[in-house]
Amino acid sequence: MRGFRLTALVVLTALAGGVIWKCLPARTAAIQGPNPIAELLAAEIGGMTQWLLIRGANREAPILLWLHGGPGAAQMPTHTVTSALERTFVVVHWDQRGAGKSNPPSFDPATMTFEQFLSDARAVAALLRDRVGDQPMIVLGHSWGTMLGARLVAHSPEEFAGYVGVSQQVNTMRGVALALDWLRAVAPTSDLAGTTPEDFRDHDRYVRLMQAVEAHGGGMGVSLASMLPYALAAPEYRLADYLRWFDGANRGSGPMWPDYRRRDLFAEVERMPVPMLLISGAGDMNTPVALVQEWFDQVEAPNGKQMVVFASSGHAPFLTETTRFVETVQDFGAGIVAERGE
Protein backbone atom coordinates (compact mmCIF):
# COMPACT_ATOMS: atom_id res chain seq x y z
CA MET A 1 0.00 0.00 0.00
CA ARG A 2 2.84 2.37 0.85
CA GLY A 3 4.39 1.65 -2.58
CA PHE A 4 1.08 2.47 -4.28
CA ARG A 5 0.76 5.73 -2.34
CA LEU A 6 4.32 6.71 -3.21
CA THR A 7 3.72 5.99 -6.90
CA ALA A 8 0.48 7.98 -6.85
CA LEU A 9 2.27 10.88 -5.14
CA VAL A 10 5.03 10.86 -7.76
CA VAL A 11 2.49 10.80 -10.62
CA LEU A 12 0.40 13.61 -9.11
CA THR A 13 3.52 15.68 -8.47
CA ALA A 14 4.66 15.18 -12.07
CA LEU A 15 1.22 16.13 -13.38
CA ALA A 16 1.09 19.23 -11.19
CA GLY A 17 4.57 20.20 -12.34
CA GLY A 18 3.55 19.73 -15.95
CA VAL A 19 0.46 21.91 -15.52
CA ILE A 20 2.49 24.63 -13.81
CA TRP A 21 5.14 24.49 -16.57
CA LYS A 22 2.45 24.78 -19.24
CA CYS A 23 1.11 27.89 -17.53
CA LEU A 24 4.44 29.71 -17.73
CA PRO A 25 5.07 32.18 -20.58
CA ALA A 26 5.65 30.55 -23.97
CA ARG A 27 9.19 30.55 -25.31
CA THR A 28 11.43 28.65 -27.70
CA ALA A 29 14.70 26.97 -26.82
CA ALA A 30 18.06 28.35 -27.88
CA ILE A 31 19.73 26.76 -30.88
CA GLN A 32 23.43 26.11 -31.43
CA GLY A 33 25.14 27.33 -34.58
CA PRO A 34 27.48 29.88 -36.15
CA ASN A 35 24.85 32.64 -36.25
CA PRO A 36 21.69 31.22 -34.71
CA ILE A 37 18.19 32.60 -34.61
CA ALA A 38 15.42 31.29 -32.34
CA GLU A 39 12.38 33.52 -31.97
CA LEU A 40 8.73 33.03 -31.04
CA LEU A 41 7.06 36.07 -32.49
CA ALA A 42 3.58 37.59 -32.25
CA ALA A 43 2.88 39.89 -35.20
CA GLU A 44 -0.08 41.93 -36.40
CA ILE A 45 -1.03 40.36 -39.71
CA GLY A 46 -4.28 40.86 -41.57
CA GLY A 47 -5.94 42.72 -38.72
CA MET A 48 -5.17 40.18 -35.98
CA THR A 49 -2.30 38.76 -33.95
CA GLN A 50 -0.65 35.78 -35.60
CA TRP A 51 2.28 33.74 -34.31
CA LEU A 52 5.54 32.73 -35.98
CA LEU A 53 8.31 30.40 -34.85
CA ILE A 54 11.64 31.24 -36.50
CA ARG A 55 14.57 28.86 -35.94
CA GLY A 56 17.88 28.21 -37.66
CA ALA A 57 21.53 27.50 -36.84
CA ASN A 58 22.56 30.24 -39.27
CA ARG A 59 20.27 33.23 -39.74
CA GLU A 60 21.85 33.85 -43.16
CA ALA A 61 20.76 30.44 -44.49
CA PRO A 62 17.83 30.17 -46.95
CA ILE A 63 14.43 30.71 -45.33
CA LEU A 64 12.02 27.76 -45.43
CA LEU A 65 8.48 29.07 -44.90
CA TRP A 66 6.34 26.09 -43.83
CA LEU A 67 2.61 26.44 -44.59
CA HIS A 68 0.72 23.91 -42.49
CA GLY A 69 -2.32 21.91 -43.48
CA GLY A 70 -5.94 22.02 -42.40
CA PRO A 71 -6.80 24.84 -42.51
CA GLY A 72 -6.33 24.76 -38.78
CA ALA A 73 -3.77 21.97 -38.30
CA ALA A 74 -0.84 24.07 -37.07
CA GLN A 75 2.56 22.36 -37.25
CA MET A 76 4.33 24.47 -34.63
CA PRO A 77 3.80 22.18 -31.61
CA THR A 78 5.47 19.23 -33.40
CA HIS A 79 8.21 21.20 -35.13
CA THR A 80 10.94 19.24 -33.36
CA VAL A 81 10.13 16.17 -35.50
CA THR A 82 11.82 17.88 -38.45
CA SER A 83 14.23 20.05 -36.47
CA ALA A 84 17.17 18.69 -38.51
CA LEU A 85 16.04 21.12 -41.21
CA GLU A 86 17.20 23.94 -38.93
CA ARG A 87 20.81 23.01 -39.66
CA THR A 88 20.53 24.19 -43.27
CA PHE A 89 17.53 26.54 -43.28
CA VAL A 90 15.94 29.24 -41.20
CA VAL A 91 12.71 27.30 -40.68
CA VAL A 92 9.55 29.32 -40.12
CA HIS A 93 6.40 27.72 -38.72
CA TRP A 94 3.45 30.08 -38.97
CA ASP A 95 0.21 29.40 -37.10
CA GLN A 96 -2.20 30.74 -39.72
CA ARG A 97 -5.40 32.59 -38.81
CA GLY A 98 -7.78 30.24 -37.00
CA ALA A 99 -5.00 27.76 -36.14
CA GLY A 100 -3.22 27.07 -32.87
CA LYS A 101 -1.84 30.18 -31.20
CA SER A 102 -3.51 32.31 -33.90
CA ASN A 103 -6.99 31.08 -32.96
CA PRO A 104 -8.09 33.36 -30.10
CA PRO A 105 -11.57 33.06 -28.52
CA SER A 106 -12.62 36.17 -30.44
CA PHE A 107 -11.61 34.74 -33.84
CA ASP A 108 -14.13 35.25 -36.63
CA PRO A 109 -14.21 32.23 -39.00
CA ALA A 110 -15.82 34.45 -41.64
CA THR A 111 -12.34 35.92 -42.22
CA MET A 112 -11.15 32.52 -43.50
CA THR A 113 -11.23 33.35 -47.18
CA PHE A 114 -8.67 32.23 -49.73
CA GLU A 115 -7.75 35.79 -50.64
CA GLN A 116 -7.27 36.69 -46.96
CA PHE A 117 -4.93 33.73 -46.44
CA LEU A 118 -2.95 34.79 -49.54
CA SER A 119 -2.73 38.34 -48.21
CA ASP A 120 -1.57 37.04 -44.82
CA ALA A 121 1.09 34.87 -46.46
CA ARG A 122 2.45 37.80 -48.43
CA ALA A 123 2.60 39.85 -45.23
CA VAL A 124 4.48 37.03 -43.46
CA ALA A 125 7.02 36.85 -46.29
CA ALA A 126 7.56 40.62 -46.12
CA LEU A 127 7.96 40.47 -42.34
CA LEU A 128 10.59 37.74 -42.67
CA ARG A 129 12.57 39.77 -45.18
CA ASP A 130 12.61 42.71 -42.78
CA ARG A 131 13.37 40.67 -39.68
CA VAL A 132 15.66 37.91 -40.95
CA GLY A 133 17.16 39.03 -44.26
CA ASP A 134 16.87 38.97 -48.03
CA GLN A 135 18.32 35.49 -48.56
CA PRO A 136 16.45 33.03 -50.82
CA MET A 137 13.02 32.05 -49.49
CA ILE A 138 11.53 28.64 -50.27
CA VAL A 139 7.86 27.96 -49.59
CA LEU A 140 6.98 24.49 -48.28
CA GLY A 141 3.29 23.65 -48.10
CA HIS A 142 1.56 20.58 -46.71
CA SER A 143 -1.95 19.59 -47.85
CA TRP A 144 -4.08 22.76 -47.50
CA GLY A 145 -0.76 24.61 -47.30
CA THR A 146 -0.01 23.50 -50.86
CA MET A 147 -3.29 24.96 -52.09
CA LEU A 148 -2.11 28.24 -50.65
CA GLY A 149 1.60 27.86 -51.39
CA ALA A 150 1.45 26.89 -55.05
CA ARG A 151 -0.65 29.93 -55.89
CA LEU A 152 1.41 32.23 -53.67
CA VAL A 153 4.64 31.29 -55.43
CA ALA A 154 3.24 31.04 -58.97
CA HIS A 155 1.70 34.51 -58.72
CA SER A 156 4.78 36.19 -57.15
CA PRO A 157 7.82 34.29 -58.46
CA GLU A 158 10.12 37.26 -57.95
CA GLU A 159 9.62 36.88 -54.19
CA PHE A 160 10.49 33.19 -53.86
CA ALA A 161 13.39 30.92 -54.83
CA GLY A 162 11.57 27.59 -54.84
CA TYR A 163 8.43 25.65 -54.02
CA VAL A 164 8.00 22.35 -52.15
CA GLY A 165 4.55 20.74 -52.22
CA VAL A 166 4.05 17.94 -49.70
CA SER A 167 0.83 15.98 -50.32
CA GLN A 168 -0.11 18.46 -53.02
CA GLN A 169 -3.76 19.49 -53.12
CA VAL A 170 -4.84 19.55 -56.79
CA ASN A 171 -8.61 19.34 -57.20
CA THR A 172 -10.77 18.48 -54.19
CA MET A 173 -13.73 16.95 -55.99
CA ARG A 174 -11.59 14.85 -58.34
CA GLY A 175 -9.66 13.72 -55.28
CA VAL A 176 -12.95 12.77 -53.63
CA ALA A 177 -13.85 10.58 -56.61
CA LEU A 178 -10.51 8.73 -56.42
CA ALA A 179 -10.76 8.33 -52.63
CA LEU A 180 -14.31 7.01 -52.94
CA ASP A 181 -13.28 4.43 -55.57
CA TRP A 182 -10.45 3.33 -53.28
CA LEU A 183 -12.77 3.09 -50.27
CA ARG A 184 -15.25 0.93 -52.20
CA ALA A 185 -12.38 -1.45 -53.03
CA VAL A 186 -10.93 -1.74 -49.51
CA ALA A 187 -14.20 -1.41 -47.54
CA PRO A 188 -17.11 -2.46 -49.78
CA THR A 189 -19.48 -2.65 -46.79
CA SER A 190 -18.79 0.94 -45.73
CA ASP A 191 -21.92 3.06 -45.41
CA LEU A 192 -20.23 5.49 -47.81
CA ALA A 193 -19.70 2.89 -50.53
CA GLY A 194 -23.05 3.66 -52.13
CA THR A 195 -22.52 7.42 -52.31
CA THR A 196 -21.38 9.49 -55.29
CA PRO A 197 -18.75 12.25 -55.45
CA GLU A 198 -21.51 14.85 -55.71
CA ASP A 199 -22.71 13.86 -52.22
CA PHE A 200 -19.49 15.30 -50.79
CA ARG A 201 -20.22 18.86 -51.78
CA ASP A 202 -21.54 18.90 -48.22
CA HIS A 203 -18.65 19.56 -45.82
CA ASP A 204 -19.84 17.27 -43.03
CA ARG A 205 -20.02 14.37 -45.49
CA TYR A 206 -16.57 15.20 -46.79
CA VAL A 207 -15.22 15.04 -43.24
CA ARG A 208 -16.86 11.61 -42.84
CA LEU A 209 -15.15 10.43 -46.03
CA MET A 210 -11.74 11.59 -44.84
CA GLN A 211 -12.34 9.87 -41.50
CA ALA A 212 -13.18 6.64 -43.33
CA VAL A 213 -10.08 6.98 -45.49
CA GLU A 214 -8.00 7.46 -42.35
CA ALA A 215 -9.61 4.47 -40.61
CA HIS A 216 -8.82 2.16 -43.55
CA GLY A 217 -5.18 3.17 -43.98
CA GLY A 218 -5.31 5.86 -46.66
CA GLY A 219 -4.65 8.86 -44.45
CA MET A 220 -1.84 10.28 -42.34
CA GLY A 221 -0.12 6.97 -41.66
CA VAL A 222 0.65 8.10 -38.11
CA SER A 223 -1.59 8.39 -35.08
CA LEU A 224 -2.37 11.59 -33.22
CA ALA A 225 -1.40 9.80 -30.00
CA SER A 226 2.13 9.20 -31.29
CA MET A 227 2.53 12.95 -31.85
CA LEU A 228 1.33 13.94 -28.37
CA PRO A 229 4.72 13.58 -26.65
CA TYR A 230 6.25 16.03 -29.13
CA ALA A 231 3.34 18.45 -28.84
CA LEU A 232 3.16 18.38 -25.04
CA ALA A 233 6.90 18.95 -24.75
CA ALA A 234 6.79 22.06 -26.95
CA PRO A 235 7.64 25.14 -24.84
CA GLU A 236 6.05 27.33 -27.52
CA TYR A 237 2.57 26.09 -26.55
CA ARG A 238 0.74 26.79 -23.30
CA LEU A 239 -2.36 24.99 -22.02
CA ALA A 240 -4.78 27.34 -23.76
CA ASP A 241 -2.92 26.91 -27.06
CA TYR A 242 -3.74 23.20 -27.19
CA LEU A 243 -7.43 23.95 -26.82
CA ARG A 244 -7.11 26.53 -29.58
CA TRP A 245 -5.31 23.99 -31.75
CA PHE A 246 -8.08 21.40 -31.42
CA ASP A 247 -10.75 24.03 -32.03
CA GLY A 248 -9.05 25.16 -35.23
CA ALA A 249 -8.33 21.64 -36.45
CA ASN A 250 -11.94 20.57 -35.87
CA ARG A 251 -13.21 23.65 -37.72
CA GLY A 252 -11.02 22.78 -40.69
CA SER A 253 -12.10 24.07 -44.08
CA GLY A 254 -15.78 24.35 -43.10
CA PRO A 255 -16.08 28.17 -43.18
CA MET A 256 -14.55 28.33 -46.67
CA TRP A 257 -15.79 25.01 -48.04
CA PRO A 258 -17.72 26.27 -51.11
CA ASP A 259 -14.59 28.06 -52.37
CA TYR A 260 -12.20 25.36 -51.16
CA ARG A 261 -13.88 22.56 -53.10
CA ARG A 262 -14.02 24.61 -56.31
CA ARG A 263 -10.26 25.22 -56.43
CA ASP A 264 -8.56 23.57 -59.40
CA LEU A 265 -4.78 23.61 -59.73
CA PHE A 266 -4.94 22.51 -63.37
CA ALA A 267 -6.70 25.76 -64.24
CA GLU A 268 -5.12 28.09 -61.68
CA VAL A 269 -1.45 27.08 -61.83
CA GLU A 270 -0.49 25.99 -65.33
CA ARG A 271 3.06 27.24 -64.89
CA MET A 272 5.41 27.10 -61.91
CA PRO A 273 8.13 29.68 -62.63
CA VAL A 274 10.53 28.61 -59.85
CA PRO A 275 12.22 25.25 -59.13
CA MET A 276 9.62 22.82 -57.77
CA LEU A 277 9.74 19.68 -55.67
CA LEU A 278 6.67 17.56 -54.95
CA ILE A 279 6.71 14.91 -52.20
CA SER A 280 3.87 12.41 -51.87
CA GLY A 281 3.23 9.28 -49.83
CA ALA A 282 2.31 6.24 -51.92
CA GLY A 283 -0.52 5.39 -49.54
CA ASP A 284 -2.09 8.86 -49.50
CA MET A 285 -5.76 8.89 -50.53
CA ASN A 286 -6.42 12.29 -48.97
CA THR A 287 -4.48 13.94 -51.78
CA PRO A 288 -4.20 10.96 -54.16
CA VAL A 289 -0.81 10.43 -55.77
CA ALA A 290 -2.32 9.73 -59.19
CA LEU A 291 -3.86 13.20 -59.25
CA VAL A 292 -0.64 14.83 -58.06
CA GLN A 293 1.26 13.00 -60.78
CA GLU A 294 -1.20 14.19 -63.42
CA TRP A 295 -0.71 17.83 -62.46
CA PHE A 296 3.04 17.35 -62.19
CA ASP A 297 3.15 15.96 -65.73
CA GLN A 298 1.12 18.87 -67.13
CA VAL A 299 2.49 21.90 -65.29
CA GLU A 300 5.10 23.91 -67.15
CA ALA A 301 8.23 24.38 -65.03
CA PRO A 302 10.99 26.17 -66.94
CA ASN A 303 13.34 26.12 -63.94
CA GLY A 304 12.94 22.44 -63.22
CA LYS A 305 10.57 20.12 -61.41
CA GLN A 306 10.89 16.82 -59.58
CA MET A 307 8.46 14.51 -57.84
CA VAL A 308 9.40 11.98 -55.17
CA VAL A 309 7.02 9.31 -53.88
CA PHE A 310 7.73 7.85 -50.43
CA ALA A 311 6.73 4.19 -50.54
CA SER A 312 6.14 3.79 -46.81
CA SER A 313 4.16 6.98 -46.22
CA GLY A 314 0.64 8.34 -46.46
CA HIS A 315 -0.50 11.94 -46.14
CA ALA A 316 2.36 13.05 -43.85
CA PRO A 317 5.73 11.83 -45.20
CA PHE A 318 7.61 14.19 -42.87
CA LEU A 319 6.23 12.23 -39.89
CA THR A 320 6.69 8.70 -41.23
CA GLU A 321 9.93 8.87 -43.24
CA THR A 322 11.45 11.86 -41.51
CA THR A 323 15.12 11.30 -42.29
CA ARG A 324 14.48 10.81 -46.00
CA PHE A 325 12.13 13.79 -46.02
CA VAL A 326 14.71 16.09 -44.40
CA GLU A 327 17.46 14.94 -46.75
CA THR A 328 15.23 15.38 -49.81
CA VAL A 329 14.30 18.94 -48.85
CA GLN A 330 17.91 19.78 -47.93
CA ASP A 331 19.15 18.52 -51.29
CA PHE A 332 16.52 20.61 -53.07
CA GLY A 333 17.57 23.70 -51.14
CA ALA A 334 21.25 23.06 -51.80
CA GLY A 335 20.51 22.84 -55.52
CA ILE A 336 18.78 26.21 -55.48
CA VAL A 337 21.67 27.84 -53.63
CA ALA A 338 24.20 26.31 -56.05
CA GLU A 339 22.20 27.44 -59.07
CA ARG A 340 22.04 30.99 -57.73
CA GLY A 341 25.78 30.96 -56.99
CA GLU A 342 25.27 31.95 -53.34
Side-chain angles (χ1 to χ4, degrees):
M1 182 61 72
R2 289 183 61 189
F4 173 78
R5 289 175 178 170
L6 180 60
T7 300
L9 180 61
V10 170
V11 170
L12 288 173
T13 301
L15 287 173
V19 169
I20 293 171
W21 180 62
K22 281 297 177 182
C23 291
L24 296 175
R27 61 179 182 82
T28 195
I31 183 171
Q32 299 299 312
N35 187 15
I37 181 171
E39 296 183 358
L40 181 62
L41 177 66
E44 289 302 306
I45 297 168
M48 65 174 291
T49 301
Q50 300 190 41
W51 287 82
L52 304 170
L53 176 63
I54 307 170
R55 293 180 56 83
N58 181 0
R59 68 179 302 136
E60 297 178 357
I63 296 170
L64 186 68
L65 174 56
W66 189 306
L67 306 180
H68 64 69
Q75 202 66 40
M76 191 187 296
T78 56
H79 73 91
T80 55
V81 176
T82 54
S83 60
L85 288 169
E86 297 168 7
R87 294 197 295 265
T88 48
F89 298 101
V90 175
V91 183
V92 180
H93 286 281
W94 162 39
D95 279 15
Q96 301 161 26
R97 65 174 54 237
K101 294 175 76 70
S102 304
N103 184 33
S106 60
F107 178 69
D108 181 4
T111 66
M112 293 175 63
T113 67
F114 193 80
E115 290 305 321
Q116 182 62 64
F117 278 110
L118 268 180
S119 177
D120 289 353
R122 293 188 186 103
V124 167
L127 181 152
L128 292 172
R129 295 196 187 286
D130 288 342
R131 193 172 188 92
V132 181
D134 61 357
Q135 61 262 53
M137 187 181 303
I138 298 169
V139 171
L140 184 153
H142 172 237
S143 194
W144 144 255
T146 68
M147 183 185 288
L148 180 61
R151 291 159 178 83
L152 173 69
V153 175
H155 296 163
S156 303
E158 69 283 354
E159 297 290 329
F160 304 102
Y163 172 66
V164 182
V166 184
S167 305
Q168 180 69 49
Q169 222 286 345
V170 177
N171 180 300
T172 300
M173 297 313 295
R174 285 190 60 188
V176 162
L178 291 171
L180 192 55
D181 286 345
W182 175 86
L183 185 65
R184 291 191 189 109
V186 300
T189 60
S190 168
D191 60 351
L192 297 177
T195 58
T196 68
E198 289 300 307
D199 293 325
F200 297 98
R201 291 182 178 276
D202 175 80
H203 185 258
D204 288 342
R205 281 204 171 192
Y206 174 77
V207 170
R208 284 184 58 205
L209 175 62
M210 290 300 102
Q211 290 171 340
V213 165
E214 184 73 35
H216 290 92
M220 297 289 284
V222 61
S223 69
L224 181 63
S226 69
M227 290 294 103
L228 278 177
Y230 295 99
L232 293 175
E236 297 84 6
Y237 264 48
R238 304 295 86 192
L239 280 178
D241 296 327
Y242 297 105
L243 298 177
R244 294 173 179 182
W245 190 98
F246 279 106
D247 178 59
N250 288 332
R251 182 191 301 121
S253 57
M256 57 187 301
W257 181 242
D259 186 31
Y260 186 104
R261 63 177 169 81
R262 284 195 298 264
R263 293 286 169 175
D264 179 12
L265 205 61
F266 290 104
E268 295 181 59
V269 181
E270 298 177 313
R271 185 177 188 271
M272 181 57 70
V274 301
M276 179 178 76
L277 166 66
L278 300 184
I279 300 175
S280 289
D284 184 8
M285 290 309 302
N286 186 315
T287 52
V289 182
L291 196 55
V292 179
Q293 183 72 59
E294 185 180 342
W295 178 71
F296 174 82
D297 291 340
Q298 292 187 24
V299 67
E300 180 186 351
N303 289 296
K305 60 181 179 178
Q306 54 182 303
M307 180 172 174
V308 182
V309 178
F310 285 20
S312 300
S313 292
H315 193 57
F318 52 92
L319 298 180
T320 47
E321 295 182 73
T322 304
T323 299
R324 185 185 178 195
F325 174 84
V326 167
E327 291 173 351
T328 301
V329 175
Q330 287 175 330
D331 288 346
F332 178 71
I336 288 176
V337 171
E339 185 68 25
R340 296 166 69 98
E342 298 183 3

